[in-house]
Amino acid sequence: MSFKLMLFCMFFTPVLLADSGEKVLNGYDPAVDVIAENYEAGPFLIYDCVEKHWTCVMESYYKDCQAKREKDIHEKKLDLTCAPIASMGNKKSCFQKQLFMVSQNFGTRFCIGDDWKQKEISF
């Protein structure tokens, strides 16, 4: 009887103690990656100059940001709408870079158009 009990404990205890918690995925998970109405989390870091915040987004939002910036520069606007900063390997590294940028209090000089920067320099 004790041998059978020992075998039962050896084979079924690990199954009962196995972790059944939430798994953290590196890919897209719609349950946790919709971070705002206009953004979904991803490995691309941008700075939203309109809403004034750092965010890690999917590639499509990053490309939209690049296109908006190029359009603003072409139109010679003084205040740019968006700044694409970097492409990271995964969401976790992007979130770490975002935390670094926030904690170091980086300025928003990249939200100012080039024409205005030149006017500030040469008074």
Side-chain angles (χ1 to χ4, degrees):
M1 178 68 179
S2 65
F3 181 71
K4 290 179 183 178
L5 181 60
M6 183 180 76
L7 284 175
F8 177 78
C9 290
M10 280 180 30
F11 290 116
F12 291 107
T13 302
V15 172
L16 296 174
L17 296 176
D19 182 22
S20 62
E22 180 180 331
K23 305 293 185 225
V24 177
L25 302 175
N26 200 15
Y28 178 73
D29 183 10
V32 295
D33 285 346
V34 178
I35 53 178
E37 284 182 11
N38 51 349
Y39 294 122
E40 293 176 0
F44 295 88
L45 182 63
I46 65 170
Y47 185 81
D48 188 335
C49 298
V50 176
E51 296 180 9
K52 308 221 183 294
H53 64 83
W54 296 94
T55 187
C56 291
V57 295
M58 302 285 281
E59 186 175 12
S60 60
Y61 297 104
Y62 184 80
K63 288 183 178 181
D64 287 345
C65 178
Q66 285 177 327
K68 287 178 188 176
R69 185 174 183 86
E70 289 172 5
K71 181 182 174 199
D72 289 347
I73 290 172
H74 181 63
E75 293 175 358
K76 296 185 178 182
K77 290 187 177 180
L78 299 180
D79 297 322
L80 306 176
T81 57
C82 187
I85 304 298
S87 170
M88 305 293 171
N90 54 34
K91 288 187 295 188
K92 184 176 180 180
S93 61
C94 185
F95 292 145
Q96 289 172 344
K97 182 70 172 180
Q98 178 185 12
L99 179 62
F100 174 78
M101 299 297 267
V102 170
S103 66
Q104 298 300 314
N105 197 18
F106 273 83
T108 58
R109 186 129 177 98
F110 42 78
C111 291
I112 300 171
D114 291 334
D115 292 340
W116 187 252
K117 287 179 189 176
Q118 291 174 358
K119 288 179 184 177
E120 284 185 352
I121 291 172
S122 59
F123 348 158

